[in-house]
Amino acid sequence: MGEPNRSRLLDYTQGPLPAPPEPRRSSLLDYAEAGPTVRAATDGRPGPRPGVPPYETPVFVPAHPRHVDTTYDDGRPVRVPFIAYELFAHPADVAGTVAFAFTTLEKLVAALGEAQPWVATSLGPLAEGVGERGVTVLLDPRVAPGPPNWQLADLAAYAREVR
C-alpha cells in the first residue's frame, strides 16, 4: 500500500503488449463470497451471483480519448477516435495489471485527482473487455497517497496535441 500506482498509459505508445498470462481468478469473485445474497431479476433474467454488483452497474473509469491518423481507401486523411482505458500495475503486484473502476465520480477524484480523465461505463462490459486481455477490475480501490498521474497542465497539453 505504500508505493504509488504506476500508470500503464505509456504502454500504448511503446509497441505491442506481451501475451497475457494464463487467466486467473477475478477480483469480482471476492465480492461474491463476501457480499449479501442478491435475488434474481424479476424480468426472468438470472441475477448476479451473491455479492457481485449487477452487470449494468455504472462505474467511472480512468480513461482518455485517443486517435489514429490514417487514410480512406481513396487517399483522403481521416482521424479515427477511440477511448483508451488507463491500466495500472497492482500495488501489491498480486493481480498484475488492473483497471480501476469507481462507483462514484467523487471516489475517482479523491483517489486520482481532479484532472484525471475518465469515462462512464457499465461494470459488466468493462470486466469482460479487459478480462479478455488478462486484466482484473478493482472496484473502488484504495490508492496510495501521492501526486496524481494527471495535472491540469497535462490536460491542457493533451488538448493541444489532439486538435
Side-chain angles (χ1 to χ4, degrees):
M1 282 296 293
E3 293 185 31
N5 291 305
R6 184 182 67 81
S7 174
R8 299 278 312 271
L9 179 62
L10 293 178
D11 291 349
Y12 289 105
T13 62
Q14 296 174 348
L17 294 175
E22 288 296 314
R24 60 188 173 274
R25 175 184 160 93
S26 170
S27 295
L28 289 177
L29 295 177
D30 295 335
Y31 289 106
E33 294 169 355
T37 302
V38 178
R39 294 184 311 190
T42 58
D43 63 1
R45 294 180 298 146
R49 286 179 288 181
V52 175
Y55 189 88
E56 298 86 7
T57 300
V59 291
F60 299 89
V61 182
H64 59 278
R66 302 296 292 170
H67 67 272
V68 174
D69 290 323
T70 187
T71 57
Y72 286 113
D73 290 340
D74 63 6
R76 292 180 294 143
V78 61
R79 178 170 279 179
V80 179
F82 62 96
I83 298 293
Y85 293 124
E86 290 187 28
L87 303 178
F88 298 86
H90 192 281
D93 202 26
V94 174
T97 303
V98 296
F100 291 165
F102 297 88
T103 53
T104 68
L105 186 54
E106 291 77 18
K107 289 180 180 181
L108 181 141
V109 169
L112 300 175
E114 65 181 342
Q116 174 64 53
W118 55 270
V119 295
T121 187
S122 294
L123 182 59
L126 171 67
E128 287 177 359
V130 298
E132 292 171 356
R133 290 167 173 63
V135 175
T136 302
V137 175
L138 289 181
L139 189 61
D140 291 329
R142 285 178 281 173
V143 177
N149 289 335
W150 287 82
Q151 303 290 333
L152 292 175
D154 298 326
L155 290 178
Y158 184 76
R160 285 190 299 272
E161 174 191 329
V162 297
R163 285 190 184 151

